[in-house]
Amino acid sequence: YSMDSLYIDLLITDRDFTLNSGNEPVLCDNRVSIAQDCVHAIIESGLATQLVGERSPVLRADLRNQIEMLVEDDDRIVPGTVRANEESPVKLWITADTYDFGRISQGVDL
């Protein structure tokens, strides 16, 4: 990775480490790393699980709002740019602007 890589992380795919052909972990950086951190924060908060079990449209909207606020707590995210949209009953789509790396757009499997 170059000197422009401010954030370096192990790449996670389907909640597991991504390995290369030599069975070594694949690295990701910057925008991908930030998006991945946001997804993990959502999963670890338990809000994704609550969203799956909630039937009320009003309470679902409240949970999406809580998810947006959680992502906005990341210092690398521009406040007011986070959107959490339900792509399907089992997929949430998060978009946000980062200060240094532009827009992130990442799915969260519920």
Side-chain angles (χ1 to χ4, degrees):
Y1 284 81
S2 71
M3 292 180 63
D4 294 338
S5 296
L6 296 178
Y7 309 102
I8 300 173
D9 205 348
L10 297 173
L11 181 62
I12 305 293
T13 306
D14 298 326
R15 297 185 185 189
D16 201 0
F17 296 114
T18 304
L19 304 176
N20 65 17
S21 59
N23 276 340
E24 297 172 339
V26 174
L27 298 177
C28 63
D29 70 345
N30 298 336
R31 197 173 65 184
V32 174
S33 179
I34 294 169
Q36 185 171 273
D37 288 348
C38 291
V39 168
H40 291 149
I42 292 166
I43 292 167
E44 291 168 8
S45 73
L47 293 170
T49 304
Q50 290 178 41
L51 191 60
V52 169
E54 186 54 62
R55 300 256 188 258
S56 164
V58 171
L59 295 178
R60 290 180 74 80
D62 180 60
L63 286 166
R64 285 191 307 275
N65 187 48
Q66 289 180 56
I67 289 169
E68 290 173 359
M69 291 188 303
L70 174 70
V71 173
E72 282 185 357
D73 280 345
D74 189 310
D75 292 338
R76 302 166 292 182
I77 300 292
V78 178
T81 65
V82 180
R83 297 292 174 261
N85 295 303
E86 292 180 75
E87 185 175 283
S88 75
V90 294
K91 183 91 164 189
L92 187 68
W93 202 258
I94 303 296
T95 57
D97 291 334
T98 66
Y99 283 108
D100 298 316
F101 305 106
R103 192 160 197 69
I104 60 171
S105 187
Q106 184 71 39
V108 181
D109 294 324
L110 303 176

